[in-house]
């Protein structure tokens, strides 16, 4: 088997949702091997898992993911109102 094949397949899966679903449908190692061979790649499920995790870690964070990670609440208006009130009192 080949780690290079696993890396190529992992890169392809990150951009091809249909391919990702196809691989996700494989419930056993034999089914995974059959799907991978049909696609023309050569790797084991373990090699693919390692390559996929590595490829995923190198992907830039999308704006949606960043928004979810940042969370919180923007209180710019509240800060402004507080500053304006404090300035008026001075």
């Amino acid at each position: 088997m080949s780690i290079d094949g696993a890396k190529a397949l992992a890169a392809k899966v990150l951009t091809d949702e249909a391919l990702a679903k196809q691989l996700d449908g494989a419930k056993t190692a034999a089914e995974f091997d059959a799907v991978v061979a049909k696609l023309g790649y050569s790797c084991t499920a373990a090699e693919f898992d390692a390559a996929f995790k590595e490829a995923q870690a190198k992907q830039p964070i999308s704006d949606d993911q960043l928004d979810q990670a940042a969370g919180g609440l923007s209180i710019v208006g509240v800060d402004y109102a507080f500053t304006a009130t404090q300035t008026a009192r001075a």
Side-chain angles (χ1 to χ4, degrees), residues 8-20 41 52 55 59:
L9 181 58
K12 179 92 170 143
V13 167
L14 287 173
T15 60
D16 188 341
E17 192 173 318
L19 178 60
Y41 293 94
F52 185 74
Q59 286 287 99

Side-chain angles (χ1 to χ4, degrees), residues 8-84:
L9 181 58
K12 179 92 170 143
V13 167
L14 287 173
T15 60
D16 188 341
E17 192 173 318
L19 178 60
K21 286 181 182 179
Q22 211 174 2
L23 288 176
D24 193 41
K27 301 299 179 200
T28 65
E31 288 178 9
F32 178 85
D33 292 343
V35 171
V36 169
K38 179 181 163 189
L39 296 168
Y41 293 94
S42 175
C43 66
T44 65
E47 289 172 334
F48 172 75
D49 284 340
F52 185 74
K53 287 177 184 174
E54 182 181 322
Q56 237 181 353
K58 292 180 180 178
Q59 286 287 99
I61 296 175
S62 72
D63 288 341
D64 290 337
Q65 291 171 326
L66 187 58
D67 287 343
Q68 290 174 1
L73 174 66
S74 175
I75 55 173
V76 173
V78 173
D79 289 343
Y80 175 76
F82 177 76
T83 302

